[in-house]
Amino acid sequence: MKHICLYFQVHQPFRLRQISFFNITNKVPYFNDASNKQILLKVAKNCYLPTNKLFLELLKQYPFLKLSFSISGTAIDQFKKYAPQVIESFQALLETGSVELLSETNCHSLACVKGKAFFVNEVTAHRHKMKEVFAYEPKVFRNTELIYSNKVGSWVKSLGYEAMLTEGADKVLNGRSPNQLYHHSTDNNLKILLKNYRLSDDIAFRFSNRKWPHWPLTAEKFADWIHQLPDSEEIINLFMDYETFGEHQWKSTGIFEFLEDLPGSILKYKDHTFITPSEAVAKLKSRDSFSALTPISWADEERDLSAWLGNNMQLEAFDFLYALSKKVNRTNNDEMSRIWDYLQTSDHFYYMSTKTLDDGAVHAHFSPYNSPHQAFTNYMHVLMNFEYQLDKLLRR
């Protein structure tokens, strides 16, 4: 039996305003509310609302269809502020009983890099938000950008999760298949689900590429690829950004027709079914241990942390941000804590990447800045202003 696990990441960052060096001592708003609202409403119209509507119809049509999502805290906060109907549409999906929600870091942060205390705070905040908004307690964890290491896995298990998602990185698998259930290198009780990045990226990145040898990709062709996998490969994890549908792959590419046809195309094979991460843990047996001594992720060719912490600008900004944590805590100010949380979002560091070739093009596509240096300069101006405001509060 082949089990197909569909998982989607839902995330939007709070993008920053342009802050001049000459405004470092003035009290100014940090976040570009106009831009954030405009982008959120555009993505809601192109992706979240129509895709959720389509999935709601498909879940009624196909009782065996299962879906899983993780929704960052920053995305939820923007939905509350700009488009509450998106939350309602996710709640409707959850009510079908065929959808699983996963935990992640609240602000889509890189907190795991700075230590367990920072990481636990982020995970705990997201747990509270899931209870508040969805009355839901996730059993499975998905770290920011699928970042995983043995150490992070141990922290996740200590927080009570039964499984974790990460990248099926070739450099860790060493020739093994990502299409089976694994467990933590030293703890059999934490199961690991690995992304099949080739099949996932066929949809997320290559779908509309007319130079791709397999264009156009149909649901029937895709289902046949899965069917041709060896019988021993019992779980195929298709993990991707939810914004793939209607935003990264525009409606005009045929992505919604593909999605509409996908469940039927897969389920026409008697030995194919859909599964959620929790169901995979309950039904499937782990075949082997999975060990990552250094962090891996789903980003770029390296599948490591270099997309966010690969140059001196990123490292300087990252260290400055977390050096402010003690001052933030001492102020005991909810607004300053909220700002500091939003400044942790990984996107801010992604915009500073100086990678070239295909990886660099992807980074530039998602960045609101003209260059990585401009992203760094603006972020540092924000941090300097933020520190100045913290010091003012602490002097009172």
Side-chain angles (χ1 to χ4, degrees), residues 152-166:
V152 173
S154 295
W155 294 347
V156 169
K157 182 64 179 66
S158 72
L159 290 169
Y161 295 99
E162 61 186 20
M164 185 170 176
L165 276 56
T166 190

Side-chain angles (χ1 to χ4, degrees), residues 170-190:
D170 294 331
K171 63 183 179 182
V172 176
L173 283 170
N174 292 319
R176 296 176 295 172
S177 171
N179 304 324
Q180 65 182 49
L181 190 66
Y182 288 84
H183 59 262
H184 186 276
S185 58
T186 61
D187 192 336
N188 295 353
N189 293 318
L190 182 74

